[in-house]
Amino acid sequence: NIKFMYSRNNEPINEREILIKKKNEYTSELLSEIVISDDTIPIVYSDRYNITACGCEKFHPFDSQKYGRVFRQLEKKGLISRRRIIKPRSPTMEELLLVHTPEYLHRLEDSKRVASILEFPFAACLPISWIKYLILTPMLVATGGTMIAAQLALKYGWSINLGGGYHHASANLGSGFCVYADITLAIKKLRLTRPNLKVFIIDLDAHQGNGPERDFKGDKNICIMDMYSYPNYPDDAYANTAIDVNIRLMAGTEDEQYLSLLEGAFEKKLIEFQPDLIFYNAGSDILIGDKLGRLSVSINGLIKRDEIVFRTAFQTSIPIVMVLSGGYQKNNATVIAQSIENLNQKFNILNSNSN
């Protein structure tokens, strides 16, 4: 059977005929800062994303250098090159203050407080100048990457930041290795020129995305779907009330149930809400063997997950921006690269003539 969906113009779309949106005339102050050529692809990355702390980062469960590994694997396969992607800048202080309170940013001048946010006690012993250079600056650059990726998605119809997804950070709170609220910042930056922008946040990291939920609680132009392992960190009851589609998964949930729940809920709510942009937090901690994620989705299941999300976005002609978020196994980078390769095979996204 051929399945039909309906676009925002109420026209049926054949599931077998996915059309990649052509580049449009969308521009912004941020886009004017970068050079966009005919063969530019809306993938954002900088080597500065990767966090090193004199080798001590190896003792933290998060793979803080997966971003570079994803890039290099895609580059090795000839799918992307440095010349064709976008290199971001860090947000300015003025931009950070669109989200974060001055009090919160001031707290980031204290090594012990930053170490607590990072859940990395060793960092408390370091001078704050070291922490800024080794850890906070890479996170700032990746936050800038999310900010520019959101702008690129409106121009190209899709984008991927090979970093970001700090979904436990909010205006006045950081936790879970998330210092800067990159998703909130990217949306608020867009709203400077498009104040009524409607955004659908789909968070498929294995942990509740309490940061954006806290920041956008009560915002009628934000719809949040969160699908996560429960009970699990952060179990934020206050943020939980901001979730529009709340799917709690039992530990050990496998492919069939996971993908069935995703397909049924995402498509229905997306068509109902009719957003201008989809923000996709694509955590890889759903993979089997991830002790912090506690789910049991296979590699093929994760690849299919990303395909479902992108297929639905393309079918409905709604721009989508993807960020990488969490993942606590050394194979995460390889799986992410495989998933992006699959997206290209299915939708031809890395061919500049298709953008």
Side-chain angles (χ1 to χ4, degrees), residues 6-189:
Y6 285 85
S7 72
R8 300 161 85 184
N9 297 322
N10 207 35
E11 297 175 351
I13 299 175
N14 189 327
E15 187 182 46
R16 297 176 183 170
E17 297 174 357
I18 303 302
L19 301 177
I20 305 300
K21 291 183 64 178
K22 300 293 183 182
K23 283 189 292 187
N24 59 43
E25 298 304 314
Y26 175 79
T27 188
S28 68
E29 174 192 353
L30 265 181
L31 293 185
S32 68
E33 297 175 4
I34 61 178
V35 177
I36 297 179
S37 61
D38 288 341
D39 64 348
T40 295
I41 53 176
I43 287 184
V44 185
Y45 171 73
S46 167
D47 288 336
R48 199 67 180 91
Y49 285 10
N50 301 289
I51 296 173
T52 58
C54 306
C56 294
E57 73 281 354
K58 296 176 183 177
F59 297 100
H60 193 281
F62 185 74
D63 181 5
S64 61
Q65 297 185 59
K66 70 178 181 181
Y67 319 112
R69 283 192 266 272
V70 173
F71 173 80
R72 289 190 295 273
Q73 290 187 41
L74 292 172
E75 184 182 40
K76 186 176 180 180
K77 293 178 179 180
L79 296 173
I80 63 175
S81 67
R82 292 184 186 275
R83 182 181 60 82
R84 296 181 65 204
I85 67 169
I86 300 297
K87 184 177 180 180
R89 63 161 173 81
S90 297
T92 64
M93 180 58 69
E94 182 181 17
E95 288 166 339
L96 287 175
L97 288 170
L98 291 173
V99 179
H100 294 296
T101 64
E103 293 78 14
Y104 175 74
L105 295 176
H106 180 70
R107 292 201 297 271
L108 299 183
E109 298 293 327
D110 184 295
S111 296
K112 290 182 180 179
R113 288 178 170 176
V114 175
S116 177
I117 293 171
L118 298 174
E119 298 178 354
F120 191 30
F122 169 79
C125 303
L126 296 176
I128 192 61
S129 59
W130 287 27
I131 293 175
K132 286 182 177 180
Y133 180 78
L134 295 171
I135 302 173
L136 296 187
T137 295
M139 288 185 169
L140 273 174
V141 177
T143 296
T146 300
M147 193 168 63
I148 190 68
Q151 309 263 343
L152 289 166
L154 292 182
K155 182 176 181 65
Y156 286 86
W158 70 277
S159 68
I160 299 174
N161 181 22
L162 298 182
Y166 303 131
H167 68 153
H168 298 309
S170 59
N172 199 37
L173 182 69
S175 64
F177 206 73
C178 299
V179 179
Y180 303 105
D182 62 321
I183 295 173
T184 303
L185 174 57
I187 293 170
K188 291 202 171 186
K189 181 71 174 178

Side-chain angles (χ1 to χ4, degrees), residues 266-287:
F266 179 43
E267 177 181 315
K268 179 181 178 181
K269 192 64 179 180
L270 189 69
I271 294 172
E272 175 189 315
F273 186 66
Q274 292 289 294
D276 302 301
L277 177 68
I278 298 167
F279 231 109
Y280 176 31
N281 198 54
S284 52
D285 49 1
I286 67 168
L287 287 170

